[in-house]
Amino acid sequence: MISKQTIDKIFSTIRVEEIVGEYVQLKRAGSNYKGLSPFHDEKTPSFVVSAAKQIWKDFSTGKGGTAISFLMEIENFTYPEALRHAAKKYGIEIEEDQKDFSPEARQANTERDLLYKIHEVANHYYQEFMWDSEEGKSIGLSYFRERELKDEIIRKFQLGYSPEKKDAFTAYALEKGYNKEILEKSGLSIFPENAPSGIDRFRERVIFPIHSFSGRVLGFGARILKNNVKTAKYLNSPETEIYHKSNVLYGLNQSKQAISRKNICLLVEGYMDVISLHMSGIENVVASSGTSLTTEQIKLIKRLTENVTILFDGDNAGIKASFRSIDMLLTEGMNIRVLLFPDGDDPDSFARKHPQEYVERFIEEQAMDFIDFKAEILLKEVGDDPIKKAEAIRDIVKSVSFVQNALKREVYLKQVSNKFGLSEQSLFNELDVQKQVTRNQIQKTQVRAEAQQPVKLEIVEAPADYVDPVLFNVTKLENDLINHMLNFGDIILQRKTPDEQAYEITVIEEILHHFEEDGYEFQVELNKKIVEYIKEGIEKEELRKGNFFFGLMDEELSKAAVNSMNIYSELNDWTTRNIFSPNYGDRIHDQVAGDILVHKFRYVNFLIVKTKKELTVHTEGDETKYFELLKKIQMLTLVSIELSRLLNYSAVTGIYTDR
């Protein structure tokens, strides 16, 4: 287990805006940063990062947390994995608490962990074999150098080579203690029926590791070098629990910072296109790796930028097929430009022929928007045929119909109007037709899907998550009081005794006194645990506020603490419109006193309801118990009336506020 000292060091060193900024394009908004949610499709940014509080909040999904919890959400890390990733990024050495290790904890005993580990082992093996063995140097390394790759680029992309011997890696992994099942599930080895041993999937190929956004190896692409072998030129890892090719872009881990910095992503097709552009100094580039572009891949790019330039081979026969990718990018709100390289060139060869400045200038000057691109491709073959020309224009308008922003759509249609000398009204009419066709297609798909579903007779029942409103009121105020302690626990309140003697007390102490005075039973188990930690702190003469809980190994507690740290008031700067709304905590002296009073009132009413239920359920034949409960109800009712009177008084005087 990672030691508490290491966890404290990690949390004191890492910066949430830096870690989140690798995944989300953030812009300064007052004292915070804002960006589009990486967890939900949205057009207006509602994802907020507070550098001062070192937390983030996604208002579109309700999620929030620290830099560590963000890594857990975005990368599907466990808590220890997220801590280790952050420690590696900031150069923090991990210290293990050996006494907390169990035999189980010493083993990577989950399939997911083993898949990650075996891919790291394979990645190291392929690189080491290429650099250190005669076969690797003469075949694998020689190939990459023939492609004019420098050693630092080969190492940057962790390129390697799998030996000719059919079971070289399989035997190596088995010797290391990895079993047949995990090798088979990873796709690194194949075990044919009745065969004496396994076979390496990528044998006798150069290796291109495929990394996740954060840099973990998920799978491999491999290219065969022999021309006389009847097999696929490129071979990829199969789908596994950790590798889904539709969710991955090659080179994104190496390119994400450049994409975010330059605010544009170059999209290419192959591994070597990415690598050669990097070698020429152009690093804001990723590849779809020969697969059709997917919505998930587009969303990965959109975390960093909304601007995409697609780079095509000049003689690529599949350019028309790329129109689908353009429509998908437009649907996701991306700004698109397209570049066709001269015949005979692709991004790889062009980058190797010319210096960086020339390539960058060529891309900037020659890239065209999707309207000009589609017009150039579609109108090549129409000649003077008016029907074919009308079909080509209709195809362009169809792409415009995928643009979600109304203002952008109108600008694009004006551009089409000017380009082809057509009236804007006729183009708007065609746009409406295209949008209706799209709607009809969606409806037909939904009808077909519903028709395939079996008919069910459903019995309507009360929702399983139904909450009694009386209990809800108690829980809400309980949460509010916990939030006050976590946000403002060390603030000193000025109070007076009934005989007007002044005294000072902290927010934490006043709320704790309230809970203890009423013998309060917590309705939320997490709140009970938080209070126990706070009490423990007071015994040690510590006032434990929200940040104390960030570094705990208890993930639930950490999340609860983060969710209490409000950044709502900083979402919009209303002062620019001369609206001066109060912020949470502006009147914490009155808020604490008021919420304690309201909580007492809600809790007493909750106890009355609870006691009435006991009266009807548990007193049959027990007269003594019956009258005890009846007396308790009468006493609680009197307390409720008195609290109600105090609340009415506070509403008139404005001293307290019932929220």
Side-chain angles (χ1 to χ4, degrees):
M1 181 180 284
I2 301 172
S3 70
K4 183 68 169 69
Q5 290 80 3
T6 301
I7 295 172
D8 290 342
K9 189 174 182 181
I10 291 169
F11 273 95
S12 64
T13 305
I14 62 176
R15 302 295 302 170
V16 67
E17 65 273 24
E18 292 174 356
I19 286 178
V20 173
E22 291 188 355
Y23 299 82
V24 180
Q25 188 180 18
L26 297 174
K27 294 181 180 178
R28 175 70 75 170
S31 61
N32 293 329
Y33 296 88
K34 291 176 72 173
L36 294 170
S37 167
F39 308 114
H40 184 262
D41 289 337
E42 61 180 14
K43 298 180 180 68
T44 304
S46 69
F47 185 92
V48 182
V49 175
S50 170
K53 295 178 180 177
Q54 282 299 292
I55 59 175
W56 58 276
K57 183 74 178 179
D58 180 8
F59 290 94
S60 66
T61 63
K63 296 177 179 178
T66 62
I68 297 301
S69 65
F70 180 82
L71 288 170
M72 292 169 67
E73 288 282 354
I74 204 83
E75 288 286 356
N76 201 21
F77 283 149
T78 63
Y79 189 58
E81 283 177 334
L83 287 170
R84 292 179 191 280
H85 176 82
K88 184 178 179 181
K89 175 178 171 63
Y90 286 88
I92 299 169
E93 187 177 346
I94 295 284
E95 293 178 3
E96 304 284 0
D97 227 342
Q98 296 297 329
K99 68 178 187 299
D100 292 327
F101 267 107
S102 64
E104 293 79 12
R106 290 193 179 96
Q107 300 174 1
N109 57 358
T110 68
E111 183 177 300
R112 190 178 181 84
D113 286 339
L114 284 171
L115 283 171
Y116 281 122
K117 284 184 179 296
I118 193 63
H119 278 85
E120 287 295 341
V121 168
N123 190 33
H124 179 74
Y125 175 85
Y126 296 140
Q127 290 179 78
E128 193 175 65
F129 190 88
M130 184 178 73
W131 288 102
D132 296 344
S133 73
E134 286 304 317
E135 181 188 345
K137 285 188 282 190
S138 63
I139 301 176
L141 192 56
S142 175
Y143 167 77
F144 288 127
R145 285 175 174 166
E146 282 173 14
R147 298 295 297 263
E148 301 177 15
L149 298 187
K150 296 176 182 176
D151 286 1
E152 57 265 30
I153 285 292
I154 296 173
R155 293 189 186 279
K156 178 180 181 179
F157 284 87
Q158 300 176 3
L159 307 180
Y161 174 76
S162 180
E164 184 178 2
K165 185 182 176 185
K166 69 176 185 179
D167 65 344
F169 172 72
T170 303
Y172 172 83
L174 290 170
E175 189 179 323
K176 287 282 186 182
Y178 292 94
N179 59 37
K180 170 187 170 182
E181 287 71 27
I182 201 66
L183 284 167
E184 202 163 29
K185 285 179 178 178
S186 70
L188 293 166
S189 303
I190 301 166
F191 291 87
E193 287 186 25
N194 303 320
S197 63
I199 300 170
D200 295 351
R201 177 181 293 272
F202 302 121
R203 65 189 181 280
E204 212 174 352
R205 291 173 182 262
V206 287
I207 302 293
F208 300 84
I210 300 168
H211 297 87
S212 71
F213 202 106
S214 63
R216 291 190 294 182
V217 179
L218 305 176
F220 298 96
R223 186 191 193 281
I224 198 159
L225 302 182
K226 292 181 178 179
N227 296 321
N228 59 346
V229 179
K230 292 184 178 179
T231 186
K233 182 178 177 181
Y234 277 97
L235 189 62
N236 285 341
S237 290
E239 297 274 312
T240 67
E241 188 182 345
I242 64 171
Y243 175 60
H244 305 282
K245 62 183 179 182
S246 62
N247 296 351
V248 178
L249 286 164
Y250 181 75
L252 188 58
N253 173 250
Q254 293 89 348
S255 306
K256 59 190 177 188
Q257 291 182 347
I259 293 170
S260 182
R261 186 174 64 253
K262 294 195 172 185
N263 195 23
I264 188 168
C265 176
L266 305 179
L267 183 60
V268 297
E269 288 187 279
Y271 304 132
M272 287 303 301
D273 294 330
V274 172
I275 294 168
S276 292
L277 284 167
H278 266 260
M279 194 171 68
S280 74
I282 300 169
E283 297 184 335
N284 55 322
V285 55
V286 297
S288 57
S289 304
T291 62
S292 298
L293 193 65
T294 66
T295 301
E296 290 77 13
Q297 290 172 330
I298 296 170
K299 288 177 179 177
L300 284 173
I301 298 172
K302 197 173 181 180
R303 291 180 189 172
L304 305 171
T305 182
E306 293 184 348
N307 305 308
V308 175
T309 298
I310 308 173
L311 308 184
F312 283 118
D313 303 356
D315 57 355
N316 190 330
I319 285 177
K320 283 190 180 180
S322 71
F323 290 171
R324 174 181 168 275
S325 296
I326 289 174
D327 293 344
M328 290 178 68
L329 286 159
L330 291 171
T331 301
E332 293 300 318
M334 306 297 272
N335 305 314
I336 309 165
R337 299 177 76 207
V338 185
L339 173 71
L340 289 176
F341 284 102
D343 284 349
D345 267 325
D346 57 22
D348 171 24
S349 62
F350 195 82
R352 285 188 283 114
K353 283 181 185 176
H354 305 286
Q356 176 183 349
E357 295 77 11
Y358 182 88
V359 178
E360 286 180 326
R361 189 169 64 251
F362 183 84
I363 293 172
E364 179 61 33
E365 294 175 357
Q366 299 300 317
M368 59 187 87
D369 67 38
F370 74 92
I371 291 173
D372 288 337
F373 169 69
K374 290 193 77 170
E376 182 175 312
I377 299 301
L378 294 172
L379 296 179
K380 270 182 182 178
E381 304 165 1
V382 302
D384 295 326
D385 189 327
I387 295 176
K388 288 183 178 178
K389 185 176 181 180
E391 284 299 321
I393 295 170
R394 184 174 288 115
D395 199 318
I396 294 169
V397 174
K398 179 185 175 183
S399 287
V400 175
S401 73
F402 288 104
V403 176
Q404 302 299 303
N405 183 281
L407 181 60
K408 280 186 181 179
R409 278 201 307 269
E410 186 167 345
V411 170
Y412 283 135
L413 285 184
K414 284 182 182 292
Q415 185 178 338
V416 176
S417 171
N418 294 333
K419 188 174 187 67
F420 296 105
L422 299 172
S423 72
E424 290 181 24
Q425 187 57 53
S426 65
L427 292 172
F428 273 105
N429 291 341
E430 178 60 29
L431 181 68
D432 289 338
V433 170
Q434 293 292 349
K435 287 163 71 177
Q436 186 58 49
V437 168
T438 302
R439 281 195 292 268
N440 290 342
Q441 289 173 343
I442 293 171
Q443 288 173 357
K444 285 179 182 178
T445 302
Q446 289 173 339
V447 168
R448 282 197 298 269
E450 289 170 4
Q452 292 171 359
Q453 297 296 319
V455 178
K456 293 182 179 179
L457 294 175
E458 295 188 5
I459 300 171
V460 178
E461 297 179 352
D465 58 352
Y466 172 76
V467 177
D468 187 302
V470 177
L471 176 61
F472 174 81
N473 287 332
V474 176
T475 305
K476 186 209 179 290
L477 266 298
E478 176 186 309
N479 288 335
D480 286 346
L481 293 173
I482 296 294
N483 288 352
H484 292 334
M485 287 198 286
L486 294 175
N487 281 281
F488 309 106
D490 57 351
I491 288 180
I492 296 174
L493 307 173
Q494 305 294 329
R495 298 297 192 223
K496 288 184 178 180
T497 63
D499 59 354
E500 295 298 309
Q501 294 293 315
Y503 69 96
E504 294 181 342
I505 190 170
T506 64
V507 168
I508 280 179
E509 290 168 324
E510 180 156 285
I511 294 173
L512 281 182
H513 176 70
H514 158 65
F515 286 140
E516 290 167 354
E517 181 185 48
D518 291 343
Y520 180 67
E521 295 178 10
F522 286 93
Q523 306 305 308
V524 180
E525 189 62 30
L526 270 179
N527 289 342
K528 183 178 179 181
K529 291 168 74 174
I530 288 170
V531 168
E532 286 171 358
Y533 272 105
I534 291 174
K535 283 182 178 178
E536 181 187 285
I538 288 176
E539 289 173 6
K540 297 179 179 179
E541 298 184 353
E542 299 174 8
L543 285 176
R544 293 176 172 176
K545 289 176 58 181
N547 338 22
F548 166 81
F549 294 89
F550 292 177
L552 295 178
M553 286 298 284
D554 190 323
E555 180 192 336
E556 274 194 301
L557 268 182
S558 180
K559 278 190 176 181
V562 168
N563 287 332
S564 76
M565 305 288 281
N566 285 287
I567 51 177
Y568 292 82
S569 60
E570 299 174 37
L571 268 176
N572 294 298
D573 186 5
W574 292 101
T575 57
T576 58
R577 307 177 197 180
N578 292 321
I579 299 173
F580 301 93
S581 57
N583 292 320
Y584 173 53
D586 281 354
R587 299 181 62 192
I588 194 63
H589 295 71
D590 291 340
Q591 278 183 311
V592 169
D595 284 350
I596 285 176
L597 188 59
V598 176
H599 184 251
K600 283 182 187 287
F601 177 70
R602 301 291 192 202
Y603 186 53
V604 167
N605 287 329
F606 169 71
L607 291 177
I608 291 171
V609 172
K610 185 179 177 183
T611 308
K612 283 180 178 179
K613 288 179 180 177
E614 288 183 47
L615 191 69
T616 57
V617 175
H618 300 295
T619 59
E620 189 175 344
D622 189 342
E623 193 171 295
T624 304
K625 178 75 171 176
Y626 177 82
F627 282 108
E628 281 179 2
L629 292 175
L630 198 61
K631 186 177 178 180
K632 183 178 178 181
I633 291 169
Q634 291 171 340
M635 181 192 70
L636 289 169
T637 302
L638 289 173
V639 174
S640 176
I641 292 169
E642 176 61 17
L643 288 170
S644 178
R645 185 187 68 76
L646 288 172
L647 285 169
N648 285 333
Y649 171 75
S650 69
V652 172
T653 61
I655 296 175
Y656 305 129
T657 305
D658 181 0
R659 300 185 298 113

